[in-house]
């Protein structure tokens, strides 16, 4: 929030409704913004993020699509080439894979393939992560799969204010954006400044300053990272928490500056540790901050195994204890 904010411009709302408000604002400002997805019109989507928007903007701009993700994304690509700004909703994270070919072989590459002649401003909204009692295909974290492909920007908010501003930034981007929404945080309420934009979506933010160890998280695990910092403070350890926000590109300078101060780094995410985003961060920081590190870069995440049934997900997902254990190990060096 900035000093120019007024009480009238600040509203408290859940993260999901921050996205709703951001979509509405984008549609009001640009008639070329079109929403398309399964059950997003009359139903308002599985998580009711688009609730009421079709009633206000009509069926031509909020389109209920067949259950065919590949066809939805392919249609969105064609609409973008013709000048529209389609926003696709994928109902659940792993439902995106029928559209994987369209995303990585067409959407991600058309700008380069045409030597810059075509821009394809498609936003693909994907609720992701666990913690809501759902099984595989409804609780997965596929962000690294898409971050590996050049040509796709990737962002993920962790709070309502970021959700409101980041979805608008995604829609205005000339490039395709994968917008990962942490579904377990959909109901997390926070202040949204409707007048003063947050910093650019690809700038990592210091969510909590500290001096002893840097803890990097994004999306679903940012609240837990802040809880870990509060718990560590009771033991005399001052954690600096960084909310990554942008997953491609990653704001490495903010992480580097923090690690040069603290000398230690723990990266936490819901996705499996094996080849997760933490692997890239660990490698880059080890290269760039080698002489500043007082301990190895440690990673916290899920095991390299299929997502379990809902009764077992608490054993699969990284929790407060696993984050604090990694912090303890880093501090013991």
């Amino acid at each position: 929030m900035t000093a120019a904010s007024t009480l009238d411009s600040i509203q408290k709302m859940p993260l999901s409704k921050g996205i709703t408000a951001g979509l509405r604002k984008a549609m009001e400002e640009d008639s070329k913004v079109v929403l398309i997805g399964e059950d997003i019109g009359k139903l308002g989507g599985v998580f009711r993020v688009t609730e009421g928007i079709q009633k206000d903007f009509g069926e031509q701009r909020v389109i209920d699509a067949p259950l065919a993700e590949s066809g939805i994304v392919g249609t969105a690509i064609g609409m973008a080439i013709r000048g529209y700004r389609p926003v696709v909703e994928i109902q659940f994270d792993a439902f995106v894979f029928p559209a994987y070919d369209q995303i990585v072989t067409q959407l991600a590459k058309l700008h380069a393939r045409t030597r810059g002649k075509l821009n394809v401003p498609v936003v693909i909204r994907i609720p992701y992560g666990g913690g809501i009692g759902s099984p595989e295909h409804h609780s997965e974290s596929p962000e690294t799969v898409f971050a590996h492909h050049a040509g796709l920007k990737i962002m993920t908010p962790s709070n309502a204010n970021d959700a409101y501003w980041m979805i608008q930034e995604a829609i205005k981007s000339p490039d395709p954006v994968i917008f990962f929404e942490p579904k377990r945080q959909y109901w997390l309420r926070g202040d949204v400044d409707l007048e003063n934009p947050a910093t650019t979506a690809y700038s990592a933010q210091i969510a909590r300053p500290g001096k002893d160890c840097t803890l990097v998280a994004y999306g679903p695990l940012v609240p837990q990272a802040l809880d870990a910092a509060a718990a560590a403070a009771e033991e005399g350890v001052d954690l600096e928490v960084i909310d990554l926000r942008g997953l491609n590109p990653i704001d490495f300078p903010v992480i580097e500056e923090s690690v040069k101060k603290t000398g230690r780094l723990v990266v936490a995410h819901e996705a499996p540790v094996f080849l997760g985003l933490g692997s890239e961060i660990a490698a880059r920081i080890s290269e760039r901050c080698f002489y500043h590190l007082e301990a190895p870069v440690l990673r916290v995440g899920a095991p390299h195994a299929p997502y379990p049934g809902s009764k077992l997900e608490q054993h699969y997902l990284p929790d407060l204890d696993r984050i604090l254990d990694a912090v303890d190990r880093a501090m013991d060096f």
Side-chain angles (χ1 to χ4, degrees):
M1 308 297 177
T2 69
S5 301
T6 65
L7 291 177
D8 290 340
S9 74
I10 298 175
Q11 296 183 17
K12 188 175 288 291
M13 63 182 73
L15 187 151
S16 60
K17 295 307 177 184
I19 298 170
T20 306
L23 290 171
R24 283 183 172 276
K25 182 77 176 298
M27 295 180 75
E28 289 166 359
E29 293 181 346
D30 187 349
S31 62
K32 294 295 186 179
V33 177
V34 177
L35 312 187
I36 179 171
E38 300 163 5
D39 299 321
I40 68 166
K42 292 181 174 61
L43 181 65
V46 170
F47 296 100
R48 305 299 188 264
V49 172
T50 56
E51 188 171 32
I53 298 182
Q54 188 184 71
K55 178 174 66 69
D56 294 337
F57 290 91
E59 296 182 3
Q60 297 298 311
R61 295 189 64 191
V62 182
I63 303 167
D64 276 318
L67 304 182
E69 286 80 7
S70 180
I72 293 170
V73 174
T75 299
I77 292 171
M79 295 174 73
I81 291 173
R82 292 302 300 268
Y84 290 90
R85 290 185 175 271
V87 181
V88 171
E89 177 180 303
I90 303 296
Q91 282 192 340
F92 287 93
D93 31 65
F95 290 10
V96 74
F97 289 112
Y100 184 73
D101 178 47
Q102 289 283 2
I103 294 170
V104 304
T105 64
Q106 305 299 334
L107 184 61
K109 294 179 172 62
L110 274 169
H111 184 70
R113 185 181 298 148
T114 61
R115 298 185 180 183
K117 292 180 181 178
L118 285 181
N119 289 104
V120 196
V122 175
V123 176
I124 300 180
R125 295 179 40 243
I126 305 177
Y128 79 124
I132 64 166
S134 291
E136 61 177 346
H137 309 317
H138 298 73
S139 302
E140 298 175 12
S141 299
E143 59 268 24
T144 306
V145 176
F146 295 100
H148 185 72
H149 293 277
L152 298 173
K153 292 181 176 179
I154 302 176
M155 59 178 75
T156 180
S158 67
N159 57 74
N161 193 65
D162 274 354
Y164 175 74
W165 289 107
M166 288 168 71
I167 189 63
Q168 293 181 67
E169 183 173 347
I171 293 169
K172 291 176 182 176
S173 172
D175 303 306
V177 176
I178 310 293
F179 194 84
F180 281 105
E181 302 170 7
K183 66 171 80 77
R184 76 151 101 171
Q185 307 300 348
Y186 267 152
W187 300 275
L188 180 68
R189 296 179 66 83
D191 289 337
V192 176
D193 189 336
L194 300 175
E195 292 183 359
N196 299 285
T199 183
T200 173
Y202 306 103
S203 297
Q205 288 188 333
I206 306 295
R208 182 189 188 279
K211 59 181 176 58
D212 294 331
C213 179
T214 302
L215 175 57
V216 170
Y218 56 83
L221 281 196
V222 172
Q224 279 197 328
L226 292 170
D227 289 343
E234 295 179 1
E235 303 296 326
V237 177
D238 192 13
L239 289 182
E240 178 149 294
V241 178
I242 296 178
D243 181 353
L244 211 52
R245 303 173 80 246
L247 307 186
N248 187 29
I250 293 174
D251 190 359
F252 281 107
V254 169
I255 305 173
E256 291 174 38
E257 183 179 353
S258 177
V259 170
K260 288 176 180 178
K261 175 179 65 176
T262 67
R264 293 172 172 83
L265 174 62
V266 174
V267 186
H269 51 59
E270 281 195 13
V273 170
F274 182 72
L275 294 181
L277 209 66
S279 301
E280 179 65 22
I281 295 172
R284 293 283 187 104
I285 295 303
S286 295
E287 290 174 357
R288 299 180 183 183
C289 301
F290 183 78
Y291 292 106
H292 296 272
L293 287 168
E294 302 290 341
V297 179
L298 300 179
R299 294 168 292 151
V300 181
H304 191 44
Y307 201 93
S310 58
K311 290 184 178 180
L312 295 175
E313 70 174 348
Q314 72 271 22
H315 302 293
Y316 181 87
L317 293 172
D319 58 12
L320 185 63
D321 288 340
R322 282 161 63 183
I323 295 173
L324 289 173
D325 176 70
V327 171
D328 288 343
R329 287 187 283 127
M331 296 302 298
D332 284 343
F333 274 90

